[in-house]
Amino acid sequence: MLPKVKTTVYSVTLPDSKQKVEMRQLLAKEYKDLSKAYVMGDESTVHTTLKHIITDCVVTEGFDFSTLSFADVEFLFLKLYSFSVDNSIKVRLQCTLEHNGKPCNSVFGMEIPIEEILVTELPEQKIDLGEDTGIKLKLPSFDTWHSSKDKTDAEILFMMTDCVWVGDDVYVPGEDFSVEELSNWVDSLPQTEAQKINDFIDNTPTLSFTKEITCPTCGNKQSVVLRGLDDFLA
C-alpha cells in the first residue's frame, strides 16, 4: 500500500468577513472535477463543485461555508489556486480592432500574476439617506447570491438589507416590513438617495484585474478588464 500523501497547510485572511482560516492544498482529483465543471458550462455544477472543494480544503475547525460572501469565496479559491496549481493564471484574449472594415480577431494568451488580481473595494454598508433616515445593507452569502439570478430586483434588495432606521427606530426585514413594503419605501425616496442603494448593489465586491495590453499581430493597444472568478477561469 502506498503511503498517504501529506499536503501543506496555509493561512489566509478573508477580505470581507476578516476571518482567518487555514487550508490545505488542492488535490489533483479536486482540480480535475472543477475543470470538468467549467468545461460543462453549467453554473449550478460549478457552484456546487466549488462549494465542496473549498469546504473540504479549509481545515479550520467550525468553518461554515454558508456564511461566506461572494467576495470571500472568490478570494479563497484564488488563494487556493495559487498554493496548489500556479501563482499566475493564463487567459485567452481576442483583439477586436478593425482594419479596413475587417476585425483583427487575433487570439493570444496573457499570464496574470495572482498577486495582481485584487478584490474591488468593499462599499460602506451604512447609507445615510438624509432626514435622520438610512439603510444598512449587507453582502449576500455566496449561496444566496448564486440563487439570486431568478429573483426580482426588489427581492435582491430585500435579501441584502440588514435594517432600516428612522431616528432612533430600527426596522428589520421580515419582522417589520415585507419585500413589497421595502420596494415601495425605496421608490418614495428622492432619486439621488435611491441611487446610493443602487450603487451598493451594482458595486458588490468581486475579483478584478485591469491592464493595457498590445495585440501582438496588429499592435493595437486596448484596456483589458476582467471581473469575477468566471472571467479568470473560463
mmCIF file of all heavy atoms in Angstrom, residues 43-71:
data_model
loop_
_atom_site.group_PDB
_atom_site.id
_atom_site.type_symbol
_atom_site.label_atom_id
_atom_site.label_comp_id
_atom_site.label_asym_id
_atom_site.label_seq_id
_atom_site.Cartn_x
_atom_site.Cartn_y
_atom_site.Cartn_z
ATOM 1 N N GLU A 43 -23.657 26.546 -14.577
ATOM 2 C CA GLU A 43 -23.367 27.360 -13.399
ATOM 3 C C GLU A 43 -23.652 26.621 -12.099
ATOM 4 O O GLU A 43 -22.914 26.742 -11.123
ATOM 5 C CB GLU A 43 -24.173 28.664 -13.442
ATOM 6 C CG GLU A 43 -23.675 29.656 -14.470
ATOM 7 C CD GLU A 43 -24.366 30.997 -14.343
ATOM 8 O OE1 GLU A 43 -24.975 31.253 -13.292
ATOM 9 O OE2 GLU A 43 -24.302 31.786 -15.299
ATOM 10 N N SER A 44 -24.732 25.868 -12.080
ATOM 11 C CA SER A 44 -25.101 25.144 -10.869
ATOM 12 C C SER A 44 -24.048 24.102 -10.511
ATOM 13 O O SER A 44 -23.687 23.936 -9.339
ATOM 14 C CB SER A 44 -26.463 24.465 -11.065
ATOM 15 O OG SER A 44 -26.834 23.756 -9.903
ATOM 16 N N THR A 45 -23.521 23.416 -11.524
ATOM 17 C CA THR A 45 -22.484 22.406 -11.290
ATOM 18 C C THR A 45 -21.201 23.046 -10.794
ATOM 19 O O THR A 45 -20.547 22.542 -9.870
ATOM 20 C CB THR A 45 -22.200 21.613 -12.584
ATOM 21 O OG1 THR A 45 -23.410 20.994 -13.031
ATOM 22 C CG2 THR A 45 -21.147 20.549 -12.350
ATOM 23 N N VAL A 46 -20.827 24.175 -11.403
ATOM 24 C CA VAL A 46 -19.627 24.901 -10.980
ATOM 25 C C VAL A 46 -19.772 25.346 -9.528
ATOM 26 O O VAL A 46 -18.850 25.184 -8.717
ATOM 27 C CB VAL A 46 -19.371 26.129 -11.884
ATOM 28 C CG1 VAL A 46 -18.245 26.986 -11.306
ATOM 29 C CG2 VAL A 46 -19.013 25.690 -13.295
ATOM 30 N N HIS A 47 -20.933 25.902 -9.188
ATOM 31 C CA HIS A 47 -21.182 26.396 -7.835
ATOM 32 C C HIS A 47 -21.074 25.267 -6.813
ATOM 33 O O HIS A 47 -20.412 25.398 -5.789
ATOM 34 C CB HIS A 47 -22.575 27.033 -7.777
ATOM 35 C CG HIS A 47 -23.063 27.293 -6.391
ATOM 36 N ND1 HIS A 47 -23.914 26.436 -5.736
ATOM 37 C CD2 HIS A 47 -22.793 28.301 -5.525
ATOM 38 C CE1 HIS A 47 -24.160 26.899 -4.521
ATOM 39 N NE2 HIS A 47 -23.505 28.027 -4.365
ATOM 40 N N THR A 48 -21.724 24.141 -7.110
ATOM 41 C CA THR A 48 -21.721 23.006 -6.188
ATOM 42 C C THR A 48 -20.317 22.429 -6.021
ATOM 43 O O THR A 48 -19.885 22.121 -4.900
ATOM 44 C CB THR A 48 -22.674 21.907 -6.694
ATOM 45 O OG1 THR A 48 -24.002 22.446 -6.812
ATOM 46 C CG2 THR A 48 -22.705 20.735 -5.732
ATOM 47 N N THR A 49 -19.594 22.295 -7.140
ATOM 48 C CA THR A 49 -18.237 21.750 -7.093
ATOM 49 C C THR A 49 -17.313 22.663 -6.307
ATOM 50 O O THR A 49 -16.525 22.197 -5.466
ATOM 51 C CB THR A 49 -17.684 21.558 -8.521
ATOM 52 O OG1 THR A 49 -18.577 20.750 -9.281
ATOM 53 C CG2 THR A 49 -16.319 20.886 -8.484
ATOM 54 N N LEU A 50 -17.401 23.958 -6.559
ATOM 55 C CA LEU A 50 -16.565 24.936 -5.854
ATOM 56 C C LEU A 50 -16.846 24.905 -4.356
ATOM 57 O O LEU A 50 -15.920 24.954 -3.530
ATOM 58 C CB LEU A 50 -16.832 26.336 -6.414
ATOM 59 C CG LEU A 50 -15.896 27.468 -5.996
ATOM 60 C CD1 LEU A 50 -14.467 27.155 -6.425
ATOM 61 C CD2 LEU A 50 -16.346 28.791 -6.612
ATOM 62 N N LYS A 51 -18.113 24.801 -4.009
ATOM 63 C CA LYS A 51 -18.508 24.744 -2.599
ATOM 64 C C LYS A 51 -17.912 23.515 -1.912
ATOM 65 O O LYS A 51 -17.345 23.612 -0.818
ATOM 66 C CB LYS A 51 -20.029 24.724 -2.494
ATOM 67 C CG LYS A 51 -20.560 24.617 -1.072
ATOM 68 C CD LYS A 51 -22.087 24.680 -1.054
ATOM 69 C CE LYS A 51 -22.624 24.579 0.359
ATOM 70 N NZ LYS A 51 -24.113 24.687 0.379
ATOM 71 N N HIS A 52 -18.012 22.363 -2.553
ATOM 72 C CA HIS A 52 -17.485 21.122 -1.968
ATOM 73 C C HIS A 52 -15.966 21.183 -1.812
ATOM 74 O O HIS A 52 -15.412 20.774 -0.784
ATOM 75 C CB HIS A 52 -17.856 19.920 -2.839
ATOM 76 C CG HIS A 52 -19.300 19.526 -2.738
ATOM 77 N ND1 HIS A 52 -20.026 19.628 -1.565
ATOM 78 C CD2 HIS A 52 -20.158 19.024 -3.665
ATOM 79 C CE1 HIS A 52 -21.260 19.200 -1.766
ATOM 80 N NE2 HIS A 52 -21.370 18.849 -3.037
ATOM 81 N N ILE A 53 -15.287 21.717 -2.829
ATOM 82 C CA ILE A 53 -13.826 21.775 -2.799
ATOM 83 C C ILE A 53 -13.337 22.686 -1.675
ATOM 84 O O ILE A 53 -12.445 22.309 -0.897
ATOM 85 C CB ILE A 53 -13.278 22.261 -4.156
ATOM 86 C CG1 ILE A 53 -13.448 21.162 -5.205
ATOM 87 C CG2 ILE A 53 -11.807 22.664 -4.036
ATOM 88 C CD1 ILE A 53 -13.064 21.589 -6.606
ATOM 89 N N ILE A 54 -13.910 23.881 -1.571
ATOM 90 C CA ILE A 54 -13.471 24.819 -0.541
ATOM 91 C C ILE A 54 -13.779 24.274 0.852
ATOM 92 O O ILE A 54 -12.957 24.361 1.770
ATOM 93 C CB ILE A 54 -14.122 26.198 -0.752
ATOM 94 C CG1 ILE A 54 -13.516 26.869 -1.994
ATOM 95 C CG2 ILE A 54 -13.932 27.086 0.478
ATOM 96 C CD1 ILE A 54 -14.085 28.232 -2.310
ATOM 97 N N THR A 55 -14.958 23.691 1.014
ATOM 98 C CA THR A 55 -15.330 23.116 2.310
ATOM 99 C C THR A 55 -14.356 22.015 2.719
ATOM 100 O O THR A 55 -13.970 21.911 3.893
ATOM 101 C CB THR A 55 -16.765 22.551 2.255
ATOM 102 O OG1 THR A 55 -17.680 23.601 1.921
ATOM 103 C CG2 THR A 55 -17.161 21.965 3.593
ATOM 104 N N ASP A 56 -13.935 21.203 1.763
ATOM 105 C CA ASP A 56 -13.006 20.108 2.062
ATOM 106 C C ASP A 56 -11.585 20.615 2.312
ATOM 107 O O ASP A 56 -10.853 20.045 3.121
ATOM 108 C CB ASP A 56 -12.984 19.095 0.911
ATOM 109 C CG ASP A 56 -14.265 18.275 0.832
ATOM 110 O OD1 ASP A 56 -15.024 18.259 1.822
ATOM 111 O OD2 ASP A 56 -14.520 17.668 -0.233
ATOM 112 N N CYS A 57 -11.196 21.676 1.621
ATOM 113 C CA CYS A 57 -9.815 22.170 1.728
ATOM 114 C C CYS A 57 -9.569 23.006 2.982
ATOM 115 O O CYS A 57 -8.443 23.050 3.489
ATOM 116 C CB CYS A 57 -9.445 22.988 0.494
ATOM 117 S SG CYS A 57 -9.188 21.995 -1.005
ATOM 118 N N VAL A 58 -10.602 23.704 3.475
ATOM 119 C CA VAL A 58 -10.428 24.507 4.693
ATOM 120 C C VAL A 58 -10.433 23.564 5.896
ATOM 121 O O VAL A 58 -11.386 22.823 6.111
ATOM 122 C CB VAL A 58 -11.534 25.563 4.830
ATOM 123 C CG1 VAL A 58 -11.414 26.279 6.179
ATOM 124 C CG2 VAL A 58 -11.441 26.584 3.701
ATOM 125 N N VAL A 59 -9.370 23.614 6.678
ATOM 126 C CA VAL A 59 -9.226 22.687 7.803
ATOM 127 C C VAL A 59 -9.499 23.370 9.146
ATOM 128 O O VAL A 59 -9.385 22.744 10.201
ATOM 129 C CB VAL A 59 -7.806 22.068 7.826
ATOM 130 C CG1 VAL A 59 -7.582 21.246 6.564
ATOM 131 C CG2 VAL A 59 -6.729 23.154 7.945
ATOM 132 N N THR A 60 -9.880 24.638 9.116
ATOM 133 C CA THR A 60 -10.184 25.362 10.346
ATOM 134 C C THR A 60 -11.440 24.796 10.995
ATOM 135 O O THR A 60 -12.482 24.642 10.340
ATOM 136 C CB THR A 60 -10.398 26.863 10.054
ATOM 137 O OG1 THR A 60 -9.212 27.386 9.455
ATOM 138 C CG2 THR A 60 -10.702 27.633 11.328
ATOM 139 N N GLU A 61 -11.364 24.497 12.271
ATOM 140 C CA GLU A 61 -12.498 23.927 12.996
ATOM 141 C C GLU A 61 -13.652 24.930 13.061
ATOM 142 O O GLU A 61 -13.452 26.120 13.332
ATOM 143 C CB GLU A 61 -12.070 23.539 14.414
ATOM 144 C CG GLU A 61 -13.130 22.792 15.195
ATOM 145 C CD GLU A 61 -12.633 22.321 16.555
ATOM 146 O OE1 GLU A 61 -11.406 22.422 16.801
ATOM 147 O OE2 GLU A 61 -13.469 21.870 17.354
ATOM 148 N N GLY A 62 -14.855 24.462 12.803
ATOM 149 C CA GLY A 62 -16.030 25.324 12.873
ATOM 150 C C GLY A 62 -16.270 26.149 11.625
ATOM 151 O O GLY A 62 -17.190 26.974 11.594
ATOM 152 N N PHE A 63 -15.485 25.937 10.577
ATOM 153 C CA PHE A 63 -15.656 26.697 9.330
ATOM 154 C C PHE A 63 -17.034 26.445 8.727
ATOM 155 O O PHE A 63 -17.478 25.310 8.617
ATOM 156 C CB PHE A 63 -14.568 26.300 8.330
ATOM 157 C CG PHE A 63 -14.733 26.905 6.962
ATOM 158 C CD1 PHE A 63 -14.424 28.241 6.748
ATOM 159 C CD2 PHE A 63 -15.207 26.146 5.900
ATOM 160 C CE1 PHE A 63 -14.575 28.797 5.485
ATOM 161 C CE2 PHE A 63 -15.354 26.693 4.634
ATOM 162 C CZ PHE A 63 -15.032 28.024 4.429
ATOM 163 N N ASP A 64 -17.716 27.531 8.338
ATOM 164 C CA ASP A 64 -19.070 27.424 7.787
ATOM 165 C C ASP A 64 -19.121 28.144 6.448
ATOM 166 O O ASP A 64 -19.174 29.369 6.393
ATOM 167 C CB ASP A 64 -20.086 28.026 8.762
ATOM 168 C CG ASP A 64 -21.529 27.840 8.297
ATOM 169 O OD1 ASP A 64 -21.741 27.265 7.214
ATOM 170 O OD2 ASP A 64 -22.444 28.295 9.014
ATOM 171 N N PHE A 65 -19.105 27.387 5.373
ATOM 172 C CA PHE A 65 -19.102 27.962 4.024
ATOM 173 C C PHE A 65 -20.323 28.846 3.791
ATOM 174 O O PHE A 65 -20.236 29.870 3.111
ATOM 175 C CB PHE A 65 -19.068 26.840 2.987
ATOM 176 C CG PHE A 65 -19.051 27.324 1.557
ATOM 177 C CD1 PHE A 65 -17.853 27.500 0.888
ATOM 178 C CD2 PHE A 65 -20.242 27.593 0.883
ATOM 179 C CE1 PHE A 65 -17.833 27.954 -0.426
ATOM 180 C CE2 PHE A 65 -20.230 28.045 -0.430
ATOM 181 C CZ PHE A 65 -19.021 28.221 -1.088
ATOM 182 N N SER A 66 -21.461 28.458 4.342
ATOM 183 C CA SER A 66 -22.719 29.159 4.067
ATOM 184 C C SER A 66 -22.708 30.615 4.516
ATOM 185 O O SER A 66 -23.538 31.410 4.077
ATOM 186 C CB SER A 66 -23.895 28.423 4.725
ATOM 187 O OG SER A 66 -23.802 28.487 6.137
ATOM 188 N N THR A 67 -21.773 30.978 5.391
ATOM 189 C CA THR A 67 -21.715 32.364 5.884
ATOM 190 C C THR A 67 -20.832 33.257 5.019
ATOM 191 O O THR A 67 -20.821 34.480 5.209
ATOM 192 C CB THR A 67 -21.173 32.402 7.324
ATOM 193 O OG1 THR A 67 -19.806 31.950 7.333
ATOM 194 C CG2 THR A 67 -21.997 31.529 8.245
ATOM 195 N N LEU A 68 -20.096 32.680 4.087
ATOM 196 C CA LEU A 68 -19.135 33.448 3.299
ATOM 197 C C LEU A 68 -19.806 34.251 2.188
ATOM 198 O O LEU A 68 -20.683 33.748 1.480
ATOM 199 C CB LEU A 68 -18.093 32.519 2.667
ATOM 200 C CG LEU A 68 -17.185 31.726 3.614
ATOM 201 C CD1 LEU A 68 -16.139 30.971 2.804
ATOM 202 C CD2 LEU A 68 -16.518 32.638 4.627
ATOM 203 N N SER A 69 -19.362 35.485 2.017
ATOM 204 C CA SER A 69 -19.870 36.322 0.934
ATOM 205 C C SER A 69 -19.223 35.900 -0.379
ATOM 206 O O SER A 69 -18.243 35.160 -0.410
ATOM 207 C CB SER A 69 -19.544 37.794 1.200
ATOM 208 O OG SER A 69 -18.141 38.030 1.100
ATOM 209 N N PHE A 70 -19.771 36.422 -1.467
ATOM 210 C CA PHE A 70 -19.245 36.123 -2.796
ATOM 211 C C PHE A 70 -17.772 36.516 -2.881
ATOM 212 O O PHE A 70 -16.943 35.773 -3.422
ATOM 213 C CB PHE A 70 -20.055 36.907 -3.841
ATOM 214 C CG PHE A 70 -20.035 36.287 -5.204
ATOM 215 C CD1 PHE A 70 -20.953 35.300 -5.547
ATOM 216 C CD2 PHE A 70 -19.094 36.673 -6.144
ATOM 217 C CE1 PHE A 70 -20.939 34.721 -6.802
ATOM 218 C CE2 PHE A 70 -19.063 36.091 -7.405
ATOM 219 C CZ PHE A 70 -19.986 35.118 -7.739
ATOM 220 N N ALA A 71 -17.441 37.691 -2.332
ATOM 221 C CA ALA A 71 -16.063 38.187 -2.389
ATOM 222 C C ALA A 71 -15.113 37.257 -1.644
ATOM 223 O O ALA A 71 -14.000 36.978 -2.114
ATOM 224 C CB ALA A 71 -15.990 39.601 -1.807
#
